[in-house]
């Protein structure tokens, strides 16, 4: 676990940490040595002591101390040493140092009210992650020409209004918080859907987690920022178990908890606890809590319908503040899993047809609910529709396997 | 707007019509076309036989040739078409993304040229 976190931190943050370290010293080689030393220490100490809450911050402080030690051993101006030593001593470390300042600046720019809400996430992907219009178009299933046009217009509008990327102060970030969190969330959703596509390098989930972390660090009294962080960490943690080595789809209940990233789960729980302590629930906190309840259900001591009852209760809270189609279907599934398939199906029936006509998970849920109620032919028909709407070949294949099973039952009589 | 979905199979796509993956192949396409029909957007469509079954006729001036095989020789081949009537290109793109494509294949969306009576 720990070596993987070190590796991920190294890959994701190396350039940035190096830039920060070499800002004071003229010698890039010294900074590289110091960073290498810090990474080695991380590999030795984190398995025993646990992964720190912010691996980047830890690496930065450790590397700075190594740099100071290195300079002490050589003849360097006393003032330079004192400056470095002062920085290394500064409490723990300044979150802003370890945090990708440039990325946060750009993110806030993209969440500016002048940018059309539907263009915020594409703009962030373009500016923060350097994705090309064509690749972004693929993520959102629009024509590249249309996407390029939207990005150009958004940038032109910002330029017109004289808005430039600048590091926001907390009081500047607060009014834009909803937009910022939604932007990160939508980007993660796009990443989640395409994480296993062949030939397309996904922009990293950890990078989006890093952005969420930075926002939460900048506004530690905003529970929804912590909620989003907890949610993304929870999703990242479960990511390694989503596919078999052969690329087959693995539904949550069949995932092997041993494959989950424990460090991410621990950090997720901690963020959720801090959020809960602030006493202002919200959509992202509820979603994170649902994720947490699933994990508790699967590895905790609660078995049978008990764990699902909690998931139902959390979904009830979620749909009150955020009645998205995903949440409504999720609640119906949880209801069914908690033992009341009839009520679950009734909840599915109550959804407006135009909202679910092309929503695959609705049909998969419907198939399962009708199956449990013995309505096998309805189950087959719903399974067919779910298959017809699937975009992910791994999911489609899994659905087809289940449908074969259903058909066998239907034909067997 | 009417748009034609030209469905291109990848190099192994046609083989899946008749090998051990055949049931999965036809099952997926059947489910997909049903979903399209349920959405009320299908004008017409057809599955085509494999490219080897094509005959290509070329006339240039007084040169005439008739050849066995498709117009374009490629690893990928046209496997079928569906004409959709959709509100916009985005809707067509979303549906194209749902089609059970084979690796190396793809779907080309070509808007129909609507002929209006001469002004």
């Amino acid at each position: 676990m720990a070596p993987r976190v070190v590796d991920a931190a190294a890959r994701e943050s190396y350039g940035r940490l190096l830039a920060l370290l070499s800002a004071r010293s003229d010698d890039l080689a010294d900074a590289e040595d110091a960073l290498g030393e810090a990474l080695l220490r991380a590999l030795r100490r984190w398995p025993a002591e646990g992964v720190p809450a912010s691996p980047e911050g830890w690496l930065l402080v450790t590397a700075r101390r190594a740099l100071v030690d290195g300079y002490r051993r050589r003849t360097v101006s006393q003032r330079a040493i004192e400056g470095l030593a002062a920085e290394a001593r500064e409490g723990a470390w300044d979150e802003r140092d370890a945090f990708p300042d440039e990325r946060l600046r750009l993110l806030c720019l993209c969440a500016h009210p002048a940018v059309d809400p539907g263009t915020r996430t594409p703009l962030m992907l373009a500016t923060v992650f350097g994705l090309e219009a064509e690749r972004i178009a693929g993520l959102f299933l629009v024509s590249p020409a249309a996407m390029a046009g939207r990005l150009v217009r958004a940038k032109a509008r910002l330029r017109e209004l004289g808005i430039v990327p600048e590091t926001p102060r907390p009081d500047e970030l607060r009014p834009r918080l909803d937009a910022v969190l939604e932007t990160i969330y939508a980007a993660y959703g796009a990443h989640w859907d395409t994480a296993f596509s062949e030939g397309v390098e996904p922009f990293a989930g950890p990078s989006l987690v890093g952005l969420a972390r930075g926002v939460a660090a900048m506004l530690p009294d905003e529970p929804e920022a912590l909620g989003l962080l907890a949610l993304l960490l929870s999703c990242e943690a479960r990511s390694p178990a989503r596919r078999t080595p052969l690329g087959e789809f693995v539904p949550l209940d069949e995932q092997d908890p041993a494959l989950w990233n424990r460090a991410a789960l621990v950090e997720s729980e901690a963020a959720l606890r801090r959020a809960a302590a602030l006493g202002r629930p919200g959509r992202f906190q509820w979603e994170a809590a649902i994720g947490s309840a699933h994990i508790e259900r699967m590895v905790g001591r609660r078995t049978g319908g008990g764990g699902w009852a909690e998931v139902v209760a959390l979904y009830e809270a979620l749909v009150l503040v955020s009645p998205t189609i995903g949440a409504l279907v999720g609640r119906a599934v949880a209801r069914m899993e908690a033992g009341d398939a009839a009520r679950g199906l009734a909840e599915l029936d109550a959804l407006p047809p135009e909202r679910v006509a092309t929503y695959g998970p609705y049909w998969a849920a419907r198939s399962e609910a009708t199956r449990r109620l013995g309505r096998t032919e309805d189950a087959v028909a719903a399974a067919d529709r779910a298959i017809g709407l699937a975009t992910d070949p791994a999911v489609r294949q899994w659905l087809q396997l289940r449908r074969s099973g259903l058909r066998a039952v239907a034909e067997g009589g | 707007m009417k748009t034609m979905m030209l469905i291109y199979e990848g190099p192994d796509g046609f083989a899946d019509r008749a090998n051990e993956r055949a049931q999965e192949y036809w099952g997926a396409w059947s489910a997909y076309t049903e979903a399209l029909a349920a959405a009320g957007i299908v004008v017409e469509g057809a599955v085509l036989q494999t490219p080897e079954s094509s005959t290509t006729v070329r006339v240039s001036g007084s040169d005439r040739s008739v050849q066995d095989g498709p117009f374009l020789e490629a690893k990928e081949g046209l496997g079928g078409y569906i004409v959709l009537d959709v509100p916009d290109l985005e809707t067509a793109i979303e549906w194209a993304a749902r089609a059970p494509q084979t690796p190396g294949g793809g779907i080309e969306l070509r808007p129909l040229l609507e002929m209006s009576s001469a002004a």
Side-chain angles (χ1 to χ4, degrees):
Chain A
M1 245 5 113
R4 238 192 283 158
V5 180
V6 177
D7 187 50
R11 265 186 293 114
E12 218 212 333
S13 319
Y14 192 88
R16 194 163 54 238
L17 288 170
L18 196 61
L20 286 166
L21 283 168
S22 54
R24 288 294 184 127
S25 70
D26 290 326
D27 198 329
L28 196 61
D30 282 344
E32 282 183 317
D33 286 344
L35 188 51
E37 173 71 9
L39 286 164
L40 266 173
R41 287 192 205 177
L43 276 170
R44 276 201 297 270
R45 289 176 53 181
W46 292 0
E49 296 172 16
V51 176
S54 183
E56 273 190 41
W58 191 97
L59 285 170
L60 184 63
V61 167
T62 308
R64 277 195 173 135
R65 289 194 191 126
L67 206 51
V68 170
D69 289 345
Y71 278 102
R72 286 213 170 97
R73 286 185 227 118
R74 291 153 42 189
T75 319
V76 177
S77 100
Q78 193 57 25
R79 191 187 291 185
I81 293 180
E82 270 161 353
L84 280 166
E87 261 180 7
R89 259 195 320 267
E90 239 165 276
W93 36 276
D94 184 2
E95 185 70 54
R96 227 179 277 227
D97 270 345
F99 180 72
D101 216 41
E102 191 195 290
R103 292 180 167 192
L104 185 59
R105 258 185 258 143
L106 290 168
L107 172 59
C108 289
L109 182 73
C110 297
H112 192 282
V115 178
D116 164 62
T119 308
R120 283 177 194 152
T121 301
L123 189 59
M124 180 190 79
L125 293 173
T127 54
V128 175
F129 295 97
L131 294 195
E132 284 151 18
E134 192 174 284
R135 192 183 296 179
I136 301 173
L139 291 169
F140 294 99
L141 290 179
V142 297
S143 92
M147 180 57 75
R150 277 160 68 176
L151 293 172
V152 161
R153 279 193 295 280
K155 288 179 193 170
R157 182 132 176 75
L158 290 169
R159 214 180 308 122
E160 241 173 73
L161 297 168
I163 300 161
V164 293
E166 52 195 356
T167 307
R169 292 190 318 269
D171 57 295
E172 284 166 331
L173 185 53
R174 213 176 294 270
R176 262 187 249 171
L177 182 63
D178 280 349
V180 166
L181 295 179
E182 285 285 346
T183 303
I184 299 172
Y185 179 77
Y188 194 83
H191 156 72
W192 188 256
D193 288 340
T194 57
F196 299 98
S197 34
E198 292 172 20
V200 175
E201 312 135 41
F203 44 95
S207 303
L208 292 166
V209 169
L211 282 174
R213 221 184 252 126
V215 175
M218 189 157 271
L219 297 171
D221 57 339
E222 289 287 354
E224 279 291 83
L226 287 163
L228 179 67
L229 175 62
L231 175 61
L232 297 193
L233 280 164
S234 167
C235 293
E236 274 300 287
R238 288 178 276 124
S239 212
R242 291 174 68 199
R243 294 286 185 275
T244 66
L246 291 170
E248 297 153 311
F249 173 71
V250 183
L252 177 62
D253 273 60
E254 289 170 35
Q255 287 178 11
D256 179 5
L259 294 172
W260 294 340
N261 181 328
R262 174 140 317 148
L265 286 177
V266 166
E267 193 185 342
S268 175
E269 284 298 310
L272 193 53
R273 264 201 303 277
R274 292 205 307 275
L278 292 164
R280 278 179 286 137
R283 174 247 179 129
F284 293 122
Q285 290 167 79
W286 291 125
E287 288 194 40
I290 288 167
S292 173
H294 278 306
I295 287 157
E296 171 66 29
R297 178 177 63 77
M298 286 175 70
V299 304
R301 282 186 215 111
R302 276 179 251 179
T303 50
W308 278 107
E310 189 187 339
V311 175
V312 172
L314 290 167
Y315 265 112
E316 294 282 28
L318 176 61
V319 303
L320 275 176
V321 299
S322 176
T324 61
I325 208 67
L328 291 163
V329 171
R331 179 180 62 170
V333 171
R335 187 89 62 196
M336 170 176 75
E337 296 288 0
D340 198 343
R343 190 167 167 200
L345 183 59
E347 282 174 356
L348 291 174
D349 282 340
L351 298 173
E354 67 277 6
R355 283 184 80 187
V356 297
T358 56
Y359 185 57
Y362 166 87
W363 295 97
R366 189 177 188 78
S367 177
E368 183 55 19
T370 47
R371 183 191 74 83
R372 292 190 190 197
L373 294 168
R375 292 160 51 175
T376 317
E377 302 224 344
D378 289 338
V380 170
D384 269 333
R385 185 67 70 86
I387 290 164
L389 294 169
T391 48
D392 185 330
V395 173
R396 185 187 300 120
Q397 195 165 51
W398 182 82
L399 288 167
Q400 281 186 287
L401 273 170
R402 290 185 62 116
R403 185 185 61 177
S404 307
L406 276 173
R407 253 219 295 262
V409 170
E411 279 155 21
Chain B
M1 59 172 258
K2 293 208 176 97
T3 188
M4 179 179 276
M5 250 189 197
L6 294 140
I7 299 156
Y8 286 94
E9 296 277 15
D12 302 319
F14 288 103
D16 285 353
R17 291 183 178 186
N19 63 15
E20 68 277 3
R21 282 195 277 269
Q23 197 173 41
E24 200 184 298
Y25 177 96
W26 293 111
W29 274 105
S30 170
Y32 178 64
T33 49
E34 270 174 39
L36 280 171
I41 57 176
V42 178
V43 177
E44 58 171 305
V47 187
L48 299 173
Q49 296 188 29
T50 65
E52 301 83 65
S53 66
S54 280
T55 309
T56 299
V57 179
R58 286 184 174 86
V59 175
S60 171
S62 50
D63 283 334
R64 289 191 329 213
S65 85
V66 178
Q67 289 171 316
D68 292 328
F71 181 70
L72 289 170
E73 285 292 343
K75 293 192 306 300
E76 310 81 11
L78 187 62
Y81 72 92
I82 306 175
V83 177
L84 299 177
D85 195 353
V86 288
D88 50 40
L89 177 60
E90 263 72 45
T91 309
I93 293 174
E94 276 170 31
W95 277 106
R98 296 186 176 118
Q101 299 183 27
T102 47
I107 299 207
E108 179 178 336
L109 295 165
R110 186 86 71 90
L112 272 56
L113 183 62
E114 311 274 7
M115 302 290 202
S116 51
S117 41

